[in-house]
Amino acid sequence: MEFWESSFRDKQEMWGMEPADSALVALELFKHNGSQKILIPGFGYGRNAKVFLDNGLDVTGIEISETAIRLAKEHYGNSFKIHHGAVDAMPFDSELYDGIFCYALIHLLDAKERSNLIRNCYEQLAPNGLMIFLTISKLDARYGKGKELRKDTFETAHGVTLFFYDEESAKREFGPYGLINFAEWTEPAATMENKPRQHFCQILCKKNTSP
């Protein structure tokens, strides 16, 4: 908790104000699926939420940093609901959501925390709802760098622990929760000056309504 609070306090809007390319893709997937109520675990200061808000979707966030929540409210007012707390304390409400968008969060968790987050998100997904996770890929340049803690898990020079996904680990962790697609993903999608491209995995799940 303290790491993220100090990061947002020191760096403020550290990723800029434009949404990630994957958030724009998620918007189209949600619209095509008829999703209206969206949950964003790891809300940050709301840069990825804005594209959903601008398109008339009802957004609820979960965010551990009070500074990030304050920044989000300064930029977007009270156009969303946000729960202050860690994602491992889910659920924060009894709502079911048509869509869940989780960007660059799950790879910061250990195996038990990842399992809990996936299960808790799936349990809050409405029938036929979609959940979309963007997580760091083994194809990323950071894979294998730093101190190896466990298989595919490395501690960076800044003390951040990262778990790197591939299709096998995505199927293992998300398979029981309606996994329908896995894709390697580059962020940003286009090459931009002074903005290094990162390799992510896009993991797409759908709530199965069959018995």
Side-chain angles (χ1 to χ4, degrees):
M1 176 176 178
E2 178 55 35
F3 173 83
W4 288 110
E5 177 60 24
S6 61
S7 294
F8 283 113
R9 192 167 54 238
D10 296 342
K11 301 175 185 176
Q12 301 287 295
E13 295 90 348
M14 64 184 95
W15 299 296
M17 296 306 298
E18 292 300 313
D21 292 331
S22 51
L24 302 175
V25 172
L27 172 65
E28 294 307 311
L29 289 169
F30 288 147
K31 287 166 64 177
H32 182 75
N33 197 56
S35 303
Q36 181 61 38
K37 292 174 62 177
I38 308 300
L39 177 66
I40 303 179
F43 190 84
Y45 51 83
R47 72 174 182 120
N48 287 325
K50 186 176 187 299
V51 68
F52 305 133
L53 294 168
D54 288 348
N55 281 270
L57 302 186
D58 181 8
V59 176
T60 297
I62 300 171
E63 175 52 49
I64 196 169
S65 166
E66 291 182 340
T67 297
I69 294 172
R70 175 181 57 77
L71 292 170
K73 290 182 176 180
E74 286 176 1
H75 290 296
Y76 310 119
N78 294 314
S79 54
F80 54 85
K81 180 191 299 180
I82 191 160
H83 300 291
H84 176 227
V87 294
D88 57 11
M90 290 177 67
F92 288 89
D93 57 41
S94 58
E95 299 288 336
L96 293 180
Y97 294 91
D98 308 311
I100 296 175
F101 182 65
C102 187
Y103 179 85
L105 168 65
I106 195 169
H107 55 245
L108 300 168
L109 308 178
D110 64 28
K112 183 179 180 182
E113 292 167 336
R114 295 195 305 271
S115 178
N116 287 340
L117 176 60
I118 296 166
R119 183 183 66 253
N120 289 334
C121 283
Y122 192 75
E123 288 178 353
Q124 285 204 262
L125 205 57
N128 294 313
L130 295 178
M131 61 182 192
I132 304 167
F133 283 74
L134 268 290
T135 182
I136 198 166
S137 167
K138 287 173 68 172
L139 298 181
D140 191 81
R142 288 168 289 180
Y143 180 72
K145 307 291 177 59
K147 180 182 178 182
E148 184 172 9
L149 303 177
R150 290 170 295 281
K151 177 177 168 57
D152 297 331
T153 305
F154 298 87
E155 183 180 297
T156 71
H158 301 291
V160 178
T161 299
L162 300 174
F163 176 76
F164 294 80
Y165 275 88
D166 58 11
E167 187 168 10
E168 180 183 354
S169 54
K171 286 180 176 179
R172 182 175 66 248
E173 296 190 4
F174 289 86
Y177 300 100
L179 177 66
I180 59 174
N181 193 57
F182 170 90
E184 295 287 352
W185 183 270
T186 304
E187 229 13 272
T191 302
M192 298 175 65
E193 188 177 356
N194 299 323
K195 193 168 185 180
R197 301 178 81 182
Q198 297 177 311
H199 288 275
F200 285 89
C201 305
Q202 184 202 61
I203 300 169
L204 177 61
C205 300
K206 188 167 186 177
K207 189 73 170 272
N208 191 346
T209 58
S210 300

